[in-house]
Amino acid sequence: MHIATAYLPYEVFASSDRGDLPLPRVFIAPQRYIQGRGVLKSIGRYLSLVKATRVALLMSERGGQREGVTVRDAVRAAGMACVDSIFKGECSVEEITRHAEALAGHGIDCVIAAGGGKCIDTGKGVAFRLGVPVVIVPTLASNDAPCSALSVIYSPEGVTSPTLASAAIGEVCAQTLFREGRAAAAAVAASTVNESLEAVVEANTLLSGLGFESGGVAAAHGVAQSYTAIPAVHANYLHGEMVAMGTLAQLLLEARPDEAAKVAQFFATVGLPVHLGQLSLAAGDSRALDVLVEGTLAFPFIANMPQPVTAPLVRSAILDAHRIGLSVSERIGDAAYRRLH
């Protein structure tokens, strides 16, 4: 079986042969999106749409003992074979290659990637390498990987102009979180499902995925990715927590302190970090700030920002966001954050 190497959407949608023409507006979306209670038990029926007969199930060992049981039973009940492939925890070129090479001789005609964002991104890479469809089964509603065609490691050149649709989706997504976020968080804390939680899951997974896939990312994810270069942060905090801090920094880069304060207040009410101390860092840690600034400036999508981004601007934005977050935390407290940590 031929194993492909890389998917570079820039070469497909905005190649250099366009000359002086502006970048096209591109809207990218999954073929199907299914959300609801109990849908995992029907995955065998859904797989009939891709004509699968022998699927690879990519999951962590722990996930395979939980949701994996339901997936395997449903797949086999539909008359398909299921080959397990254990995800080791990091989305890397090495991990994708390991799975692709191990599965190449098994006659796989579909990959099911079931787990969090890293597992899902790995599954997309493995399916691309094998030249087969991928079916995404997110076990977390914390990220938009399920509705993106890209894996993080394959996306350094995927830049296109945002569409009006993606901008509108972004606005709907934000308003949904502001309106329903607290009730959704309360539902999770109570181990129940309500309409607010359903709305937030859709916003986090579907709307966010469509929006960023068709509009791109910018400084928020640059700052977030840079936090992973600090061992204490990478080992103890989640991607979404780093993105929260990155979002506040981007709003300050855009000179929108009032919006940053509004967003910080929302973050604080649902338990997300809003200042450096909540990521085990300090404003006076110049070495950590150097790492954040350097990583942000090296982030490929930083060019999506509407203005030139310099080292002093990034440092100032991170520190200004920290000060706003401290003010919010002092005003409304950090009980929600402490419940999660």
Side-chain angles (χ1 to χ4, degrees):
M1 175 184 289
H2 170 69
I3 298 181
T5 55
Y7 162 57
L8 301 174
Y10 187 88
E11 296 177 359
V12 177
F13 301 117
S15 62
S16 59
D17 62 6
R18 293 183 58 81
D20 294 331
L21 292 174
L23 293 174
R25 300 187 182 199
V26 180
F27 186 79
I28 304 170
Q31 290 183 341
R32 297 169 184 87
Y33 177 86
I34 303 166
Q35 176 184 319
R37 301 188 197 187
V39 295
L40 202 56
K41 295 178 180 178
S42 301
I43 191 170
R45 188 170 72 251
Y46 303 145
L47 284 170
S48 66
L49 298 172
V50 296
K51 311 298 182 187
T53 60
R54 188 173 180 83
V55 305
L57 175 59
L58 179 69
M59 294 193 81
S60 68
E61 186 171 2
R62 184 178 176 184
Q65 297 169 357
R66 299 178 312 192
E67 296 88 355
V69 175
T70 301
V71 174
R72 288 188 207 95
D73 289 347
V75 167
R76 289 167 179 158
M80 289 169 272
C82 187
V83 178
D84 283 357
S85 199
I86 304 301
F87 175 61
K88 297 297 185 181
E90 288 295 338
C91 180
S92 64
V93 172
E94 292 77 12
E95 181 76 354
I96 290 170
T97 300
R98 181 175 71 84
H99 289 287
E101 292 180 347
L103 294 169
H106 285 270
I108 300 300
D109 52 14
C110 178
V111 172
I112 299 175
K118 290 183 178 180
C119 180
I120 287 170
D121 277 354
T122 300
K124 287 181 282 188
V126 172
F128 176 76
R129 292 280 190 94
L130 297 177
V132 300
V134 62
V135 173
I136 303 301
V137 180
T139 58
L140 299 172
S142 61
N143 61 84
D144 48 23
C147 291
S148 165
L150 299 178
S151 299
V152 169
I153 61 170
Y154 287 141
S155 58
E157 299 182 52
V159 182
T160 56
S161 295
T163 64
L164 294 175
S166 66
I169 286 172
E171 182 64 25
V172 171
C173 188
Q175 294 308 317
T176 299
L177 295 180
F178 285 136
R179 185 178 63 251
E180 308 288 355
R182 293 185 65 178
V188 172
S191 297
T192 189
V193 176
N194 58 20
E195 286 303 310
S196 292
L197 180 57
E198 291 282 8
V200 168
V201 168
E202 184 177 344
N204 276 0
T205 308
L206 177 63
L207 298 183
S208 179
L210 298 180
F212 107 79
E213 183 79 2
S214 303
V217 294
H221 275 74
V223 176
Q225 290 296 100
S226 301
Y227 276 115
T228 65
I230 301 173
V233 180
H234 181 65
N236 295 294
Y237 298 94
L238 299 173
H239 172 70
E241 294 178 309
M242 301 177 212
V243 173
M245 294 292 287
T247 298
L248 296 178
Q250 176 166 327
L251 289 171
L252 271 300
L253 276 173
E254 296 172 350
R256 299 167 66 194
D258 292 343
E259 186 71 8
K262 174 184 176 181
V263 171
Q265 181 166 326
F266 169 72
F267 285 169
T269 61
V270 297
L272 288 167
V274 294
H275 60 77
L276 291 170
Q278 293 180 331
L279 289 185
S280 301
L281 296 174
D285 188 342
S286 60
R287 182 171 298 180
L289 287 172
D290 287 344
V291 169
L292 295 176
V293 171
E294 182 179 336
T296 300
L297 293 176
F299 187 61
F301 297 124
I302 199 68
N304 284 344
M305 292 296 292
Q307 80 275 20
V309 178
T310 65
L313 280 175
V314 173
R315 184 180 294 267
S316 176
I318 292 171
L319 291 175
D320 287 348
H322 165 72
R323 284 188 282 270
I324 286 176
L326 276 178
S327 175
V328 168
S329 186
E330 290 169 359
R331 188 172 71 254
I332 69 174
D334 62 354
Y337 172 85
R338 286 188 284 106
R339 278 198 299 270
L340 299 175
H341 297 82

